[in-house]
């Protein structure tokens, strides 16, 4: 993005890379805050609110076309108080105004989000997403729209006030519903979601629905858990999951040279991605591919985990330990330029035999699939490539490995896409969990060490005076944390503790849980997205449904249920039950849109299996007895005999000379088990296998 550095607006002191991209726009941008809101009230000017993020391609397009244009900026500055928001730093504002956009336009939102707000009460009265500089595709020119909006605000005040009142009443009441009794919670939504996902499944290419195709890890996790819950009988649920994971891993949405997944595919075949890479996609996908390997042993999934974790450690982890947020879709002003290849480049880099197998595998011998260039997408199996090229599969694999290394090393010399270097607690928590889960499943200490560094950074930099801060950039941490930050981090710590017990980490998780109960809980059940001492906004969101990530309430219900059973603390199980009751009507109305919450429903109806081991001197033998097969409802904690300060029921799990294990499902426990072999037999015949 070009900058006229002769002009600097009010964004100069911000930490967000996205906001700093706009600091030299001729638009007189303000960050969200009292200075801008007060000016709008004093001057009675509508607020033009623009929400985006640094890796957003169409945000860059609108910025280049309109926000960098002095003539457009003159119109915006004359008519509005202009506010820029990074949706990643302020997901509260994004949730509120995306909801308002959907209500006003009856269309889905997106980014850039362009909303026009009443200066007195910040209620939106018109909105859209991207607007072009000239009329096209049924959209008005942006400057013409600005003039029309101002005229409407000036001439139709009574109509506007009536619309505002209706909108705000609906938004403030949309989370209210009558809670059922606890015994009304049943398994019906689990079965309905299974059928709904089956109905949306693309049998040709995998995934759900048509392009654009998103990975939807919570939906795939639901199918995998459903297969497990049926004792392996629902093989179709497993097949849908694995087919989708295969197609994503072999498609162009996965970075075949460097590892890691892009945001989504623009086509049905997972061939051409929107090239941005987001931390919040790759963390859950690390977890999912690790679980799929535990369920199947497919070596493809192990490779995808290794390559994705390698990319994260190589490119997305700060020296201080935190994980960066995203990589841009664009480099040198062009989307995907960093990732695609010309024939001249391929022939110059690869030996003849390397090119032969790479061309057959990745389609380099076919028509270009991205704007005259080739984005690697797996077209042929290894066996087919071997047959076509006259090699055996071992030779094909060796040549492909050599070719991929050459492509990767050559790509490293290119101008990189922009990276958003801010550290967000919630997204870091998703990656911490993914790394920890991969460490446990594959017994890989390097993954665990990476997660440790990220957690240490959060505790050192973003935990202050008993509360979390949401974001940090260049050592500057600020903004009150949201529900997602707290509960995603608890979830990650519970996963880490199953790899390596740390009493101090457990105590930290309980501190986080106490903050959630004190500051985020709704007395009617469930949790608000913002704390009770957060800035007052036009709505206090209470997210229940899935979007790109599971909702905070879904993860809260799961982790509080698990903490309650692990520690024998009814405060936590009551909080989990209250969340499900508050969300029950929404779950029933659209089960497949609440797959995150369905995990908690499943564990409410069929409580998780908790296994606590005090191993004595035989930790490895006990670990071998447990194994690493797919057991989604099982929590296993191997607590060293010397560990102290154990909370709740854990304090009663005293060590014994030769080691001892306690196996419980919900509140029902077997007698203590002193023999690792006996434990292994018990796990094979009962519980979650």
């Amino acid at each position: 993005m070009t900058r006229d550095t002769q002009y600097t607006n009010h964004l100069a002191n911000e930490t967000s890379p996205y906001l700093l991209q706009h600091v030299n726009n001729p638009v007189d941008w303000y960050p969200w805050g009292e200075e801008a809101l007060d000016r709008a009230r004093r001057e009675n000017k509508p607020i033009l609110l623009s929400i985006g993020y640094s890796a957003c391609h169409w945000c860059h397009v609108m910025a280049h076309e309109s926000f960098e244009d002095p003539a457009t900026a003159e119109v915006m500055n004359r008519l509005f108080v202009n506010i820029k928001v990074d949706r990643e730093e302020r997901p509260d504002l994004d949730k509120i105004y995306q909801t308002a956009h959907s209500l006003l336009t009856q269309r889905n939102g997106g980014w850039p989000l362009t909303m026009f707000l009443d200066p007195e009460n910040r209620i939106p009265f018109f909105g859209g997403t991207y607007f072009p500089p000239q009329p096209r595709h049924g959209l008005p020119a942006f400057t013409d729209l600005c003039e029309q909006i101002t005229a409407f605000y000036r001439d139709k005040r009574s109509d506007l006030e009536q619309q505002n009142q209706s909108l705000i009443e609906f938004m403030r009441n949309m989370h209210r519903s009558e809670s059922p009794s606890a015994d009304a919670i049943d398994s019906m939504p689990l079965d309905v979601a299974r059928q709904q996902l089956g109905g949306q499944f693309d049998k040709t290419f995998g995934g759900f629905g048509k392009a654009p195709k998103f990975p939807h890890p919570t939906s795939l996790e639901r199918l995998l858990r459903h297969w497990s819950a049926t004792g392996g009988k629902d093989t179709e649920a497993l097949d849908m999951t694995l087919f989708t994971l295969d197609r994503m891993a072999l498609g162009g949405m996965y970075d075949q040279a460097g590892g890691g997944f892009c945001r989504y595919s623009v086509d049905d075949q997972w061939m051409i991605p929107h090239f941005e890479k987001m931390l919040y996609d790759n963390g859950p996908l690390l977890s999912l591919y690790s679980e799929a390997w535990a369920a199947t042993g497919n070596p493809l999934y192990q490779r995808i985990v290794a390559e994705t974790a390698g990319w994260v450690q190589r490119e997305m982890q700060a020296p201080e330990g935190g994980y960066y947020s995203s990589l841009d879709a664009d480099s040198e002003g062009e989307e995907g330029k960093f990732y695609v290849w010309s024939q001249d480049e391929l022939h110059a880099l690869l030996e003849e035999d390397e090119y032969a197998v790479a061309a057959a595998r990745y389609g380099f011998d076919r028509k270009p699939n991205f704007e005259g260039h080739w984005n690697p997408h797996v077209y042929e199996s290894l066996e087919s490539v071997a047959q076509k090229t006259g090699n055996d599969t071992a030779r094909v694999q060796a040549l492909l490995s050599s070719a991929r290394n050459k492509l990767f090393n050559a790509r490293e010399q290119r101008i990189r896409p922009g990276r958003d270097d801010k550290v967000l607690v919630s997204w870091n928590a998703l990656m911490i969990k993914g790394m920890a889960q991969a460490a446990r499943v594959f017994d890989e200490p390097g993954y665990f060490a990476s997660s440790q560094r990220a957690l240490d950074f959060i505790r050192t930099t973003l935990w202050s005076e008993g509360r979390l801060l949401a974001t940090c950039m260049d050592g500057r941490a600020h903004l009150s944390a949201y529900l997602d930050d707290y509960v995603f981090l608890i979830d990650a710590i519970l996963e880490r503790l199953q790899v390596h017990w740390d009493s101090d980490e457990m105590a930290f998780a309980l501190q986080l849980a106490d903050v959630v109960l004190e500051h985020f809980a709704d007395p009617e059940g469930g949790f608000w997205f913002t704390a009770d001492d957060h800035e007052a906004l036009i709505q206090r969101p209470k997210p229940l449904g899935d979007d790109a990530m599971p909702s905070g309430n879904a993860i809260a219900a799961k982790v509080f249920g698990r903490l309650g059973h692990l520690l024998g603390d009814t405060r936590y199980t009551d909080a989990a039950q209250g969340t499900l009751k508050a969300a029950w009507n929404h779950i029933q109305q659209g089960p497949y849109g609440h797959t995150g919450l369905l995990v908690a429903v499943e564990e409410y109806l069929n409580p998780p299996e908790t296994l606590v081991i005090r191993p004595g001197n035989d930790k490895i033998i006990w670990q071998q007895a447990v194994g690493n097969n797919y057991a989604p409802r099982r929590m296993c904690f191997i607590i060293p005999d010397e560990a102290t300060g154990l909370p709740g029921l854990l304090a009663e799990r005293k060590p014994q000379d030769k080691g001892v294990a306690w196996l419980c499902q919900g509140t029902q426990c077997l007698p203590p088990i002193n023999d690792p072999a006996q434990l292994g037999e018990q796990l094979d015949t009962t519980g979650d296998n």
Side-chain angles (χ1 to χ4, degrees), residues 329-355:
D330 300 2
S331 56
E332 301 181 74
E334 296 181 28
E335 183 177 8
K337 184 173 183 179
F338 181 76
Y339 298 98
V340 299
W341 302 91
S342 70
Q343 281 290 340
D344 289 344
E345 290 173 316
L346 292 167
H347 284 294
L349 287 169
L350 303 180
E351 301 295 334
E352 186 175 339
D353 53 354
E354 291 172 332
Y355 178 82

Side-chain angles (χ1 to χ4, degrees), residues 156-171:
K156 303 286 187 179
R157 292 306 298 274
S158 60
D159 293 346
L160 185 151
E161 289 172 3
Q162 185 175 355
Q163 174 185 288
N164 284 356
Q165 186 63 32
S166 298
L167 178 71
I168 203 65
E169 284 183 8
F170 186 87
M171 291 183 67

Side-chain angles (χ1 to χ4, degrees), residues 530-639:
T530 53
D532 53 4
D533 52 2
H534 193 80
E535 172 191 1
L537 302 170
I538 64 170
Q539 184 199 36
R540 196 176 179 194
K542 190 178 181 181
L544 300 171
D546 306 315
D547 46 34
M549 300 184 291
S551 73
N553 273 283
I555 301 302
K558 183 182 80 169
V559 298
F560 279 119
R562 291 191 158 204
L563 282 173
H565 288 298
L566 178 66
L567 304 179
D569 192 330
T570 56
R571 289 185 307 146
Y572 299 142
T573 49
D574 288 348
Q577 183 187 85
T579 303
L580 296 180
K581 289 171 63 179
W584 188 243
N585 289 338
H586 298 270
I587 293 171
Q588 287 183 305
Q589 290 165 13
Y592 75 99
H594 298 82
T595 49
L597 273 165
L598 292 183
V599 172
V601 171
E602 183 180 62
E603 295 195 354
Y604 174 78
L605 297 171
N606 193 9
E609 188 178 84
T610 57
L611 174 59
V612 177
I613 299 173
R614 306 301 294 267
N617 296 321
D618 296 322
K619 179 180 178 181
I620 293 176
I621 296 175
W622 285 100
Q623 282 179 321
Q624 291 172 342
V626 175
N628 61 354
N629 60 319
Y630 179 63
R633 290 189 305 102
R634 178 184 301 154
M635 297 182 289
C636 176
F637 302 92
I638 300 180
I639 303 176

Side-chain angles (χ1 to χ4, degrees), residues 362-626:
Y362 297 122
F364 299 149
D365 55 357
R366 301 174 184 233
K367 291 181 180 180
N369 59 4
F370 184 75
E371 300 178 359
H373 289 73
W374 282 261
N375 180 55
H377 171 88
V378 175
Y379 290 88
E380 301 280 357
S381 69
L382 294 174
E383 292 75 17
S384 175
V385 173
Q387 186 175 10
K388 283 188 174 183
T389 59
N391 294 291
D392 59 33
T393 55
R395 175 68 174 158
V396 166
Q397 286 180 309
L399 289 169
L400 282 175
S401 178
S402 174
R404 289 174 71 241
N405 286 336
K406 289 182 178 180
L407 294 179
F408 174 78
N409 290 330
R411 202 177 74 176
E412 286 291 281
Q413 307 307 311
R414 295 177 175 178
I415 296 175
R416 291 181 172 276
R419 183 175 64 196
D420 190 320
D421 288 352
K422 68 177 177 292
V423 173
L424 298 167
V425 171
S426 59
W427 296 12
N428 267 250
L430 293 172
M431 184 54 71
I432 290 169
K433 180 185 177 184
M435 283 288 191
Q437 201 156 4
R440 176 169 59 82
V441 169
F442 295 106
D443 192 21
E444 176 47 67
Y447 302 159
F448 188 77
S450 174
S451 75
Q452 181 75 61
R453 292 176 57 218
L455 180 60
D456 288 347
F457 178 81
I458 290 172
R459 296 188 66 178
T460 301
T461 310
L462 289 140
W463 176 251
S464 177
E465 298 180 354
R467 300 288 287 275
L468 281 173
L469 298 170
T471 182
C472 181
M473 178 75 184
D474 294 333
R476 181 182 163 196
H478 70 131
L479 298 177
S480 299
Y482 309 97
L483 176 64
D484 290 2
D485 299 301
Y486 285 92
V487 297
F488 288 8
L489 195 54
I490 297 169
D491 196 28
I493 291 172
L494 285 176
E495 187 61 50
R496 280 180 46 81
L497 292 173
Q498 296 181 71
V499 183
H500 173 77
W501 180 265
D502 185 319
S503 296
D504 182 59
E505 266 184 46
M506 184 69 194
F508 180 52
L510 298 183
Q511 284 181 284
L512 296 172
D514 288 344
V515 173
V516 175
L517 292 178
E518 181 178 354
H519 294 287
F520 291 84
D522 180 353
E524 297 182 3
F527 299 93
W528 303 107
F529 187 69
T530 53
D532 53 4
D533 52 2
H534 193 80
E535 172 191 1
L537 302 170
I538 64 170
Q539 184 199 36
R540 196 176 179 194
K542 190 178 181 181
L544 300 171
D546 306 315
D547 46 34
M549 300 184 291
S551 73
N553 273 283
I555 301 302
K558 183 182 80 169
V559 298
F560 279 119
R562 291 191 158 204
L563 282 173
H565 288 298
L566 178 66
L567 304 179
D569 192 330
T570 56
R571 289 185 307 146
Y572 299 142
T573 49
D574 288 348
Q577 183 187 85
T579 303
L580 296 180
K581 289 171 63 179
W584 188 243
N585 289 338
H586 298 270
I587 293 171
Q588 287 183 305
Q589 290 165 13
Y592 75 99
H594 298 82
T595 49
L597 273 165
L598 292 183
V599 172
V601 171
E602 183 180 62
E603 295 195 354
Y604 174 78
L605 297 171
N606 193 9
E609 188 178 84
T610 57
L611 174 59
V612 177
I613 299 173
R614 306 301 294 267
N617 296 321
D618 296 322
K619 179 180 178 181
I620 293 176
I621 296 175
W622 285 100
Q623 282 179 321
Q624 291 172 342
V626 175

